[in-house]
Amino acid sequence: MLDLRLAAHSPNGARIGTLPQPLNVEAAWPLNDVGSLRLAYSSSAVGAELLAQPCEVAVEWSTDGVTWTEPPDGRFLLIRRRADQVDETGLATCELPGYVWMLRKVILYPGAAPLVDGKRPFLSAMPGAILQTFLLEGQARGALPALTWDFTPTHDSAGQPWAKILTIYYRPGLDALTTLINLAEQGVCDFRMSGRTLQVFNADTALARDLAAGDAPVDLRFGRDVIAAPDVGTFEDLASAALVVGDDGFRASYTYGGAVAPWGRWETYIGQGGVSDPGTAQLLAEAVLLRSGHERVQRTRQISPYTARWLPWRDYRPGDRILAPSEGGLMESLRVRQLTVTRDKDGVLGGNLVLNDRLLERDLRLARRTAGIVGGSTAEGGSGARPAPESPAPRTPAAPSGLIVNPVAYVDEHGLPRGQVTATWGAVTTDVAGVALNVGGYELFMRINEAGAPWFLVASTEAADTNATFSPLVVGQQYQFKVRAVNLGKKGPFSSSVAVTIPDDVDAPPVPTAPTLESRLGVVHVTWDGLGVGGAPMPSDLLHVLVWMQDPLNPGWEDIGYLDAAGSLVVPGLPYGADREFSFTAVDRSGNTSARSSSATIAAVQLVQGDAADESITTGAIVANAVTSAKIAAGQILAGHIAANQVTAAKLEAVLTLSTRIVAGAPAGARVELNGSGLAAYDAFSVQTVAISSASGAVSIVGQLATGILGRRIVVNPAGAADPEIRFYPGAGVNYARIWTDTDAAIRLYSGNSPDGTRRSEVIQRGDEWRMHMVQTADGLAGGGYMFAQPGQLEVGYNDIAGRLNRWQFNNGGAGSTTGYTAFRGTFNYEAAAGLVMFARNLTTPAASHFVSWLVTLQSNPRVVITADNPNPARLVFHVNSPGTTGFTLRSHETSTPTNFTTLLYVWAWRQHGA
């Protein structure tokens, strides 16, 4: 039988005695939070003097009254007590938080490194390194001298390497307890105290034992372990649709068909800056809708230690999974989220457990994943330091550090697994020379992790955003990422690259409901209602539900077929009167398999005694409409049994209702199939290539789609093409036009070849350029007229493979004092280069002469004409000296004693034809 006692310890010191006569005790141990102890004690009771001063109280348990053990999180701090001085009993009520509460008294100091936006950065840091920074610096200042810990910067308290790496920012003044709870809430770690030793583990490892499985599970039963089981449910957060609003005008609406909707459609809103790709939006919407798509139920189970087989601490503890009564008293694997033990004035022990079912545990995982996508505790970028004055030329920002890429898997609207990544990095606050700088933003690049694979830009962020998301990605593929900062168009060096593998979906489908069995006409019908245990809807990536059978007297499950949706499987050929046991498992498109469903047993019933003799059942013996589809075993009516032209429209109902599926081809190979979900086609490897949804009418096709076989036609995703593309055929032959996209999301339009087969035209549209040019068919080299547009310039001209160039170039002038310029460059009659530059320049700094730059390099020395407005002094006139390919020097006519001057200058410079 379980028993408790209280022991007092001096602050940071040794044991000083026991508290044998408490009037009542209530101790609570929540998972990943601060425990609490409430006790009432009389001032006249033995040991009361121990509570008259600050002390530590340990809760100890025993099952034999001889060996006493202090459990994890069993140490509490006496920091608050209440008493009524007119109460003659001298009753004092004490409220004691768990020892881990003391971490509130250690705060983060700024440290030696510069702050970023007023926050202290931890770049590419493991949880142990972050927590040790708080604790070591605090103890160096004299705080918490008795606190110890058994984790390291590289390994958790169980000796396992840390599973998560973080780039995170904390504001000075933040306490260690808030930081620790924040890390636990994001799924980074679990924690507890062992006496005065802090223990921190990788999340869902050492503090997530599964005691519900195996041959001897911890099972709490009504009447023995559990004496009351109140459940509190609420629909307050219910929603079946979500609107996601992100950056760049991104809007998307999502619905969850499995949501409970007693009052119809309820909507919710998700506003998240930084989201502009559909995969990330779907992940956020899925997380919110799955959490809000059902009733939220808190399950409390009151336990009795006097009749229980399983006792707290001895047999289970917070974080463990155990079997306990759930909905309707059914035994279910539930996780202990809080353990409370009480002792009343008569010394009677009691207690209760707060248990999370699989839905609440899933909600916690989804909330943690959402926190990682939207940035969690990662700080905004920028600088808390005063930036240095900008020079006229933009400076090169330093490379970002602390790049972390977190990949996750999700299921898209077609039920297919896809990948998404969230990248986080440290803010750049200096240029490459270490001078303070405010950057304008960041660019995230990605490529397939193969040598020589091209990089392409996947996300651009503002200066304040040091995280970005991208999707969809291929599950199982390895990608490489790097990031750089941008300052006034000046690109900084890239960070170190990070390679990640996109994980596959690892969440198994819900366990199917138990099969419903029926024996008719010598065969067994195995029926599934299409749902999971507890009425849970099946996910969109469900592939099928396998049907299993075994002989209970000779166990050994055998796969006998599958169901794609709710329906029945007919099992013929079973021995009459012999029991057969049936069960289901659900399989999704990633190959995840659920646990086996509850089983059901039935025996096939004989049709007539000894079966019917040959030719004993004639048409006259069968009542009209007596033979229905439910009474005919699958595959038993063969073509040879049906006379030609006997199945006519008059013999069929106006509407044929499909109960399972109709298959043309191999049932598990190449086939066309009509089932409850719609029309589908599969290849020889049973991979689905065509899906037409009966619910929404949506059509998905994998492989080639053509409007015809010959002649003028359009072909989408042609067989053998290296990239997904659309081809336009004018007729016979292979001279076709095509539209396709390359790996950096550029849209390419290639015409067919010219009539002589020597040329074609190309149009290329990227995110930061637009190009139109002619290309030689033989070698792919550009030659002919072209147009080229970028964010900073537009160029129109002619170019050929011999290097002869004629072009007009319109430029924004860069970040200098000019507002733009237009230049012409060309080769006439293959002679010396000609060109034209026109611009205005304000010379505001007094000087005896000024060098005026073209801002481009001409091919030869030009002719120059200048016009000066408002010269100062007004008497001055000017002349050009030494014009060259990069600029010229402007001087006044006062050459003997040159006068400092300022002026507004208009310049034309050209290289004329033939000169």
Side-chain angles (χ1 to χ4, degrees), residues 28-30 33-37 57 73-79 95-103 177 193 195:
W29 291 273
D33 209 336
V34 180
S36 63
L37 172 65
V57 176
D73 288 318
R75 187 71 60 93
F76 300 87
L77 304 170
L78 179 56
I79 59 174
E95 299 175 359
L96 300 84
Y99 194 91
V100 74
W101 178 91
M102 281 219 294
L103 293 180
L177 179 61
M193 293 296 301

Side-chain angles (χ1 to χ4, degrees), residues 461-552:
T461 75
E462 300 296 330
D465 294 329
T466 53
N467 70 298
T469 62
F470 183 71
S471 67
L473 296 168
V474 179
V475 168
Q477 178 67 57
Q478 193 173 78
Y479 296 92
Q480 195 174 2
F481 294 84
K482 60 183 180 181
V483 66
R484 68 183 177 189
V486 181
N487 172 43
L488 299 176
K490 188 73 171 179
K491 316 290 187 181
F494 282 105
S495 68
S496 299
S497 62
V498 173
V500 297
T501 301
I502 304 300
D504 203 346
D505 174 32
V506 296
D507 292 330
V511 177
T513 52
T516 302
L517 306 179
E518 185 179 7
S519 177
R520 298 196 302 268
L521 300 178
V523 298
V524 170
H525 294 251
V526 184
T527 302
W528 177 51
D529 61 8
L531 299 174
V533 172
M538 285 294 171
S540 59
D541 63 336
L542 177 71
L543 180 61
H544 51 233
V545 168
L546 293 175
V547 182
W548 300 85
M549 182 182 72
Q550 72 172 358
D551 181 352

Side-chain angles (χ1 to χ4, degrees), residues 614-682:
D614 292 344
E615 301 181 358
S616 63
I617 300 179
T618 64
T619 56
I622 303 176
V623 178
N625 301 321
V627 179
T628 63
S629 60
K631 297 180 173 62
I632 302 175
Q636 297 306 300
I637 298 181
L638 306 178
H641 298 152
I642 304 174
N645 303 320
Q646 292 303 300
V647 179
T648 62
K651 294 182 173 62
L652 298 175
E653 295 182 14
V655 177
L656 296 178
T657 301
L658 181 65
S659 61
T660 54
R661 60 178 184 151
I662 297 175
V663 176
R671 65 191 186 277
V672 176
E673 178 177 307
L674 183 64
N675 55 46
S677 299
L679 180 64
Y682 299 81

Side-chain angles (χ1 to χ4, degrees), residues 114-117 382-384 427-431 435-439 442:
L115 299 180
V116 178
D117 197 20
S383 172
V428 174
T429 59
T430 66
D431 63 11
V435 180
L437 176 72
N438 281 338
V439 301
Y442 301 90

Side-chain angles (χ1 to χ4, degrees), residues 715-783:
V715 179
V716 180
N717 198 26
D723 301 282
E725 64 180 57
I726 303 175
R727 293 181 183 174
F728 301 85
Y729 287 85
V734 295
N735 186 25
Y736 56 82
R738 57 193 288 236
I739 299 176
W740 57 291
T741 182
D742 59 21
T743 54
D744 59 356
I747 297 176
R748 293 176 172 262
L749 190 156
Y750 287 6
S751 74
N753 295 331
S754 59
D756 61 0
T758 61
R759 275 174 169 59
R760 70 171 184 268
S761 64
E762 296 182 356
V763 178
I764 302 173
Q765 300 180 67
R766 286 191 174 87
D768 57 358
E769 73 175 52
W770 183 92
R771 184 189 299 269
M772 180 278 293
H773 57 216
M774 307 297 296
V775 172
Q776 294 191 137
T777 304
D779 52 20
L781 296 177

Side-chain angles (χ1 to χ4, degrees), residues 80 131 157 248 281 401 423 462 481 500 502 515 620-621 695 793:
R80 184 178 182 183
L131 295 172
S157 293
D248 302 325
S401 58
E462 300 296 330
F481 294 84
V500 297
I502 304 300
Q793 70 177 35

Side-chain angles (χ1 to χ4, degrees), residues 792-815:
Q793 70 177 35
L794 169 67
E795 192 172 303
V796 182
Y798 169 83
N799 185 20
D800 63 20
I801 60 175
R804 293 182 287 265
L805 175 66
N806 286 277
R807 74 179 183 191
W808 278 101
Q809 185 182 70
F810 304 88
N811 199 294
N812 68 359

